[in-house]
């Protein structure tokens, strides 16, 4: 039997988070500027802590709420309504993913030095993987190297689109340590590089369309950057394996939040369609507008069920790689279509900064690129389907089918 009832304890948390977003976050969102951002965030974080809504992804012993994937799927859909909300509850990328990495692969000393202040939001971090001059969707091409000299690793290379790097206390860097390994996926390792280390330089915040969080999206150089032997995070050669675990949760985490953005965009569009009149009747009474609303509803419904099913599989330790790729493609593209329709319903007002639709629109375009472009995930999905057919005589196992 398949059940669709949300556990009572998770539904209660979801409702609390939704109330926090609508009563505390959304009212202050229009007033946030670069100058008052830290002040606003400090106040929101205090409110979240006082409400027991802090770091939902972390275990209680690290000050968190101990939610697993299904719980995070429900909570993040509410947080997605505003980019401030996840920051307020200390569960926003890249810090969220780095906390997961440190929990899984960090030594006790590394957890104490880096995870503890990160969990308390005393510092920020970044994840340095992508490189400008290679297609980073194929990580076997990454050029940054780490060579062992005595009891130190010497790292050289350049990183690109390192989110949050400006002002981060440390970075987790992907670097090639074993270039001769026959398996290209075992050539890379992870390193913790503190921001005040000689040779680590944030060159600039890259100008990008849309909004961005604290620290921007940065270009970084590592020039004979020396870190101690024990700065390696996880085992040698396991950098790609660990990075994929981090990115896998990151991809579904983004999709969870995209659902929240899509829902808010649809709500705004519905309000506009019910209030605005043209040609003698409300926009909502025109069939063209109704079809836009209907298509958005269909895509949101499919997105929710895909994410919740994948989260359920994660919580039950079932293989979920195929589902993650399908979610990354479908929800990212659905987000773009839903926001585009909302902007169309708003008309000229939709392209102004008076309403958040234009910002949603600019932000949505990047969703099809980061954490793996849609084309690469489609390649992975197709491979999964063909492998399933060779093994089972049907593609059903790769399409969510019950075998």
């Amino acid at each position: 039997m398949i059940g669709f009832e949300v556990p009572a304890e998770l539904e209660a948390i979801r409702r609390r988070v939704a109330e926090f977003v609508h009563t505390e976050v959304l009212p202050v969102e229009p007033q946030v500027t670069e100058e008052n951002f830290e002040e606003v965030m400090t106040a929101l974080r205090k409110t979240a802590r006082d409400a027991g809504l802090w770091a939902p992804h972390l275990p209680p012993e690290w000050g968190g709420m101990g939610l697993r994937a299904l719980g995070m799927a429900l909570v993040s859909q509410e947080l997605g309504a505003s980019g401030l909300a996840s920051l307020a509850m200390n569960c926003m990328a890249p810090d969220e993913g780095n906390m997961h990495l440190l929990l899984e692969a960090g030594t006790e000393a590394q957890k104490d030095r880096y995870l503890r202040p990160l969990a308390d939001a005393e510092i920020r971090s970044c994840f340095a993987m992508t490189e400008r001059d290679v297609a980073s969707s194929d990580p076997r091409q990454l050029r940054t190297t780490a060579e062992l000299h005595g009891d130190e690793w010497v790292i050289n290379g350049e990183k690109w689109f390192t989110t949050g790097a400006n002002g981060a206390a440390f970075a987790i860097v992907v670097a090639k340590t074993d270039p001769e390994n026959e398996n290209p996926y075992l050539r890379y390792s992870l390193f913790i590089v503190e921001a005040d280390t000689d040779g680590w330089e944030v060159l600039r915040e890259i100008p990008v369309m849309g909004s961005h969080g604290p620290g921007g999206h940065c270009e970084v150089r590592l020039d004979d950057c020396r870190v101690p032997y024990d700065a390696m995070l996880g085992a040698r050669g396991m950098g790609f394996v660990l990075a994929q675990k981090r990115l896998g949760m990151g991809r579904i985490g983004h999709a969870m939040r995209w659902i929240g953005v899509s829902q808010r965009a649809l709500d705004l569009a519905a309000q506009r369609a019910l209030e605005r009149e043209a040609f003698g009747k409300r926009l909502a009474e025109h069939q063209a507008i109704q079809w836009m609303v209907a298509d958005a509803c269909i895509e949101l419904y499919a997105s929710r069920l895909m994410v919740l099913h994948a989260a359920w599989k994660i919580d039950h330790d079932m293989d979920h790689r195929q589902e993650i790729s399908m979610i990354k493609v479908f929800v990212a593209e659905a987000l773009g279509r839903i926001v585009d329709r909302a902007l169309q319903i708003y008309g000229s007002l939709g392209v102004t900064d008076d309403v958040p639709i234009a910002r949603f629109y600019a932000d949505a375009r990047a969703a099809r690129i980061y954490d793996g472009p849609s084309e690469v995930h489609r390649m992975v999905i197709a491979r999964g389907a063909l492998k399933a057919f060779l093994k089972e005589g049907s593609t059903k196992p790769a399409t969510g089918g019950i075998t």
Side-chain angles (χ1 to χ4, degrees), residues 274-294:
L274 289 166
E275 294 175 349
R276 190 80 162 177
E277 289 189 4
F279 302 102
K281 56 184 178 182
R282 294 180 302 175
L283 294 181
E285 297 176 71
H286 290 278
Q287 188 180 64
I289 302 300
Q290 292 172 353
W291 284 13
M292 291 183 190
V293 172

Side-chain angles (χ1 to χ4, degrees), residues 81-378:
S82 172
L84 298 175
S86 293
L87 289 168
M89 287 176 53
N90 197 23
C91 57
M92 187 61 171
D95 290 334
E96 179 187 10
N98 287 348
M99 289 186 231
H100 283 303
L101 262 183
L102 287 162
L103 270 176
E104 175 161 341
T107 64
E108 291 306 311
Q110 288 171 338
K111 291 177 184 177
D112 184 62
R113 184 174 179 83
Y114 303 108
L115 178 56
R116 179 59 67 188
L118 205 56
D120 291 336
E122 295 174 354
I123 60 172
R124 291 192 292 101
S125 64
C126 60
F127 186 75
M129 180 174 180
T130 301
E131 297 179 7
R132 179 174 186 166
D133 295 327
V134 298
S136 296
S137 55
D138 179 2
R140 297 170 300 179
Q141 299 186 75
L142 295 176
R143 296 174 179 173
T144 298
T145 61
E147 297 179 354
L148 189 59
H149 292 188
D151 60 353
E152 291 183 318
W153 292 97
V154 181
I155 307 174
N156 283 283
E158 294 192 1
K159 295 295 183 179
W160 171 256
F161 254 75
T162 303
T163 299
N166 193 9
F170 70 92
I172 296 177
V173 178
V174 182
K176 186 184 294 185
T177 53
D178 300 271
E180 304 305 320
N181 194 306
E182 293 182 1
N183 186 339
Y185 294 105
L186 298 178
R187 294 173 183 170
Y188 296 88
S189 303
L190 301 182
F191 296 90
I192 300 174
V193 178
E194 297 184 5
D196 59 357
T197 304
D198 289 342
W200 167 268
E201 182 183 4
V202 177
L203 300 178
R204 62 171 179 146
E205 287 191 30
I206 304 164
V208 297
M209 70 177 188
S211 56
H212 59 80
H217 305 290
C218 298
E219 188 172 0
V220 176
R221 178 182 295 138
L222 296 99
D223 185 10
D224 284 340
C225 184
R226 294 178 175 269
V227 297
Y229 182 81
D230 60 5
M232 182 178 286
L233 178 61
R236 180 169 178 167
M238 289 291 104
F240 181 74
V241 173
L242 290 170
Q244 284 305 302
K245 288 184 179 181
R246 179 190 185 278
L247 292 172
M249 286 303 300
R251 286 162 184 149
I252 193 172
H254 284 310
M256 295 168 185
R257 290 185 287 271
W258 292 335
I259 291 170
V261 178
S262 298
Q263 184 65 67
R264 187 177 175 195
L266 179 57
D267 289 347
L268 289 168
Q271 181 181 5
R272 177 74 167 177
L274 289 166
E275 294 175 349
R276 190 80 162 177
E277 289 189 4
F279 302 102
K281 56 184 178 182
R282 294 180 302 175
L283 294 181
E285 297 176 71
H286 290 278
Q287 188 180 64
I289 302 300
Q290 292 172 353
W291 284 13
M292 291 183 190
V293 172
D295 287 343
C297 291
I298 292 166
E299 290 172 338
L300 260 173
Y301 179 47
S303 297
R304 288 189 203 281
L305 289 184
M306 291 175 74
V307 166
L308 292 173
H309 178 238
W312 177 83
K313 292 190 77 172
I314 292 170
D315 283 350
H316 286 80
D317 298 320
M318 300 168 68
D319 185 30
H320 53 271
R321 290 171 294 179
Q322 183 81 346
E323 286 78 6
I324 293 294
S325 283
M326 290 192 287
I327 285 168
K328 175 60 174 64
V329 172
F330 184 85
V331 183
E333 296 183 358
L335 166 67
R337 291 189 293 267
I338 292 168
V339 171
D340 182 81
R341 295 186 196 107
L343 193 151
Q344 192 72 10
I345 291 170
Y346 260 82
S348 60
L349 182 61
V351 298
T352 72
D353 289 335
D354 290 349
V355 293
I357 302 296
R359 172 165 51 85
F360 295 165
Y361 188 87
D363 291 344
R365 184 57 185 86
R368 288 159 49 195
I369 297 174
Y370 58 76
D371 282 356
S374 293
E375 293 75 16
V376 172
H377 284 290
R378 281 189 164 92

Side-chain angles (χ1 to χ4, degrees), residues 8-23 53 74-75 78:
E9 64 276 13
L10 294 183
E11 175 60 16
I13 292 172
R14 186 199 66 77
R15 288 179 179 275
R16 288 168 55 205
V17 171
E19 182 180 5
F20 170 73
V21 172
H22 286 279
T23 62
L53 300 175
L74 295 166
V75 164
E78 303 296 340

